[in-house]
């Protein structure tokens, strides 16, 4: 084995995981041997007592045939006892899965229906993309704290809204609320006047697009990742790839759009995966786009190109950008500052930055000081 200093990170990771597995396997074998010894000891002790009873008892009390039968069954007890105990422990271990399935069946609440026949939803909804939060409250599970508390504001159609705030302020929870990953505890969200709680989940989520911070690709082809339901032509897919600067990279792959994508997109870099996710959102052409710091994994040059593409391609869309870096939303139409699940501030970047007592100004100053220290 090469010395530790020359081992690659993957080799060290494999060695560490192998050691952990060996430790647990040794403990399991040790426990099995301990149990087998105790069971054998119990069986041998019982055999000793039965043998003494057989030898010391008189033939007039117990016939010799019954004594022989008792000794025969007692000797067989050694193997049978271990087998029965092992089977009992196996049954108990296996029934843990049954208990979990039973809990999921009886205790877990399923999501809302995918489609509602009586839903009042206009054709080609949403046409504008305006979003209205009306005294909205949300918690992730019952008997847990409120994470969004009394949100009451309006996002205009086609508006570019930057969402900022400290860790735990409720930025990402807005996306959870918009996609109805958690149902509201009170209040409602209206998109173009339609209450999203009154329509099916599929009808809602098919009209929204999200570009996550961590790009998600699935095993299959490039085309399947871009258009899983075969709703668009190859020409439109190539146009989306060209607008996200991925056309040349995909053209060089064997099979082009039919090129294979490994699990989690391992045959693409993180930046390329993010670009493919952006091409997927471009292809759907939704009226409402949610960006969760979508360019965090892309270099500065590609980031600049993508920002230009976002401004051009999503010009007529309502775009909500959850920003972990304040500078990425400084050119948004308005800034929403979240604090403890509430709307702390909502105004244009210029107005908020000029107010020295605003929370946005403090976040902006902190971001600039970090950038200055990194540059030095």
């Amino acid at each position: 084995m090469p010395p530790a200093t020359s081992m690659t990170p993957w080799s060290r990771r494999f060695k560490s995981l192998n050691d952990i597995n060996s430790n647990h396997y040794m403990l399991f074998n040790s426990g099995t041997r301990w149990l087998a010894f105790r069971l054998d000891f119990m069986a041998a002790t019982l055999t000793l007592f039965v043998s003494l009873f057989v030898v010391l008892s008189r033939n007039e009390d117990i016939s010799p045939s019954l004594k022989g039968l008792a000794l025969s069954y007692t000797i067989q007890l050694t193997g049978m006892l271990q087998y029965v105990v092992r089977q009992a422990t196996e049954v108990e271990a296996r029934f843990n899965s049954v208990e979990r399935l039973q809990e999921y069946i009886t205790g877990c609440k399923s999501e809302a229906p995918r489609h509602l026949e009586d839903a009042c939803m206009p054709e080609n909804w949403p046409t504008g993309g305006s979003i209205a939060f009306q005294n909205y409250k949300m918690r992730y599970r019952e008997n847990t704290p409120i994470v969004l508390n009394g949100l009451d504001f309006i996002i205009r159609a086609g508006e570019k809204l930057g969402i900022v705030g400290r860790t735990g302020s409720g930025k990402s929870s807005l996306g959870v609320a918009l996609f109805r990953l958690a149902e509201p505890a009170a209040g409602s969200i209206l998109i173009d006047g339609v209450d999203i709680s009154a329509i099916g989940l599929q009808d809602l989520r098919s009209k929204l697009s999200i570009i996550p911070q961590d790009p998600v690709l699935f095993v299959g082809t490039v085309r399947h990742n871009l258009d899983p339901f075969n709703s668009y032509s190859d020409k439109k897919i190539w146009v989306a790839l060209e607008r996200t600067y991925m056309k040349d990279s995909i053209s060089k792959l064997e099979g082009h759009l039919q090129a294979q994508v490994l699990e989690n997109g391992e045959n693409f870099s993180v930046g390329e995966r993010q670009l493919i996710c952006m091409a997927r959102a471009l292809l759907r052409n939704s009226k409402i786009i949610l960006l969760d710091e979508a360019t965090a994994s892309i270099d500065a040059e590609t980031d600049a190109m993508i920002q230009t593409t976002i401004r051009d391609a999503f010009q007529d869309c309502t775009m909500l950008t959850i920003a972990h870096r304040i500078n990425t939303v400084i050119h948004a139409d308005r800034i929403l500052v979240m604090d403890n699940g509430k709307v702390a501030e909502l105004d244009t970047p210029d107005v908020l930055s000029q107010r020295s007592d605003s929370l946005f100004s403090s976040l902006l100053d902190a971001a600039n000081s970090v950038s200055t220290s990194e540059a030095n």
Side-chain angles (χ1 to χ4, degrees):
M1 181 180 292
T5 54
S6 62
M7 294 177 64
T8 63
W10 287 108
S11 299
R12 288 194 293 270
R13 177 68 171 166
F14 173 78
K15 183 175 181 295
S16 175
L17 293 177
N18 190 42
D19 289 343
I20 294 173
N21 180 71
S22 299
N23 291 338
H24 289 84
Y25 192 68
M26 182 178 178
L27 289 174
F28 173 76
N29 281 336
S30 299
T32 304
R33 294 291 178 266
W34 179 89
L35 177 62
F37 175 77
R38 287 333 187 252
L39 292 175
D40 284 342
F41 181 78
M42 290 174 57
T45 303
L46 181 60
T47 303
L48 175 63
F49 283 119
V50 172
S51 300
L52 291 174
F53 179 76
V54 167
V55 171
L56 297 177
S57 63
R58 295 183 305 174
N59 292 338
E60 290 79 7
D61 298 331
I62 301 176
S63 64
S65 60
L66 292 178
K67 290 181 180 181
L69 182 63
L71 283 174
S72 176
Y73 280 167
T74 304
I75 293 172
Q76 295 180 19
L77 182 64
T78 303
M80 292 297 296
L81 183 60
Q82 286 200 26
Y83 177 77
V84 170
V85 172
R86 183 180 291 273
Q87 290 300 313
T89 55
E90 286 286 336
V91 169
E92 183 180 2
R94 301 298 181 188
F95 262 81
N96 285 337
S97 301
V98 178
E99 291 175 355
R100 292 192 184 100
L101 289 174
Q102 184 70 16
E103 182 180 354
Y104 295 151
I105 293 172
T106 59
C108 290
K109 293 182 179 179
S110 61
E111 286 191 318
R114 294 170 60 85
H115 302 283
L116 292 177
E117 296 181 358
D118 56 348
C120 298
M121 188 173 61
E123 189 176 357
N124 298 324
W125 174 88
T127 55
S130 63
I131 306 172
F133 286 79
Q134 297 180 345
N135 194 27
Y136 185 85
K137 297 181 180 181
M138 187 196 79
R139 55 166 54 96
Y140 284 102
R141 290 178 300 277
E142 293 183 3
N143 302 322
T144 58
I146 293 287
V147 293
L148 294 177
N149 192 1
L151 301 185
D152 199 348
F153 63 95
I154 296 176
I155 303 172
R156 296 185 290 267
E159 185 176 23
K160 308 300 181 284
L161 182 72
I163 304 172
V164 299
R166 302 187 187 279
T167 302
S169 60
K171 303 188 300 297
S172 298
S173 298
L174 285 174
V176 172
L178 198 60
F179 281 84
R180 279 182 64 191
L181 299 178
E183 295 295 337
S188 60
I189 300 177
L190 306 182
I191 297 180
D192 282 354
V194 176
D195 187 351
I196 65 173
S197 297
I199 62 177
L201 289 180
Q202 179 64 26
D203 298 329
L204 168 66
R205 294 171 182 173
S206 62
K207 303 299 182 180
L208 310 176
S209 291
I210 180 172
I211 305 176
Q213 181 178 2
D214 297 322
V216 178
L217 296 182
F218 305 98
V219 176
T221 63
V222 173
R223 196 189 198 290
H224 174 73
N225 275 273
L226 292 171
D227 181 22
F229 302 107
N230 295 320
S231 304
Y232 306 96
S233 63
D234 288 356
K235 182 178 180 181
K236 291 184 178 180
I237 293 176
W238 281 114
V239 170
L241 289 172
E242 184 177 10
R243 297 176 73 179
T244 53
Y245 309 98
M246 280 296 292
K247 182 178 180 180
D248 293 339
S249 299
I250 301 300
S251 299
K252 294 177 183 178
L253 298 176
E254 183 179 356
H256 304 314
L257 291 179
Q258 300 302 321
Q260 292 297 312
V261 178
L262 300 180
E263 186 176 1
N264 296 324
E266 294 295 335
N267 53 334
F268 292 95
S269 67
V270 177
E272 288 175 332
R273 282 179 249 165
Q274 192 62 273
L275 292 172
I276 293 176
C277 289
M278 298 195 69
R280 182 193 301 158
L282 273 173
L283 196 61
R284 297 184 64 181
N285 195 27
S286 302
K287 281 294 181 182
I288 298 176
I289 311 290
L290 177 65
L291 291 89
D292 188 1
E293 196 63 78
T295 58
S297 304
I298 300 176
D299 58 86
E301 183 179 354
T302 307
D303 187 5
M305 292 188 297
I306 292 302
Q307 293 296 342
T308 303
T309 301
I310 289 175
R311 285 194 295 270
D312 296 339
F314 302 143
Q315 186 174 4
D316 298 328
C317 302
T318 303
M319 188 163 60
L320 284 66
T321 304
I322 299 174
H324 305 278
R325 297 179 299 181
I326 304 298
N327 295 329
T328 59
V329 294
I330 198 66
H331 299 295
D333 296 335
R334 287 195 299 170
I335 299 293
L336 171 64
V337 183
M338 296 292 297
D339 186 30
N340 293 325
K342 299 180 179 180
V343 177
E345 297 166 351
L346 178 60
D347 212 325
T348 61
D350 294 336
V351 172
L352 293 178
S353 59
Q354 291 175 4
R355 288 171 46 194
S356 59
D357 60 337
S358 69
L359 186 57
F360 179 73
S361 295
S362 62
L363 293 173
L364 189 60
D365 293 338
N368 291 334
S369 61
V370 171
S371 300
T372 304
S373 61
E374 290 179 351
N376 294 333

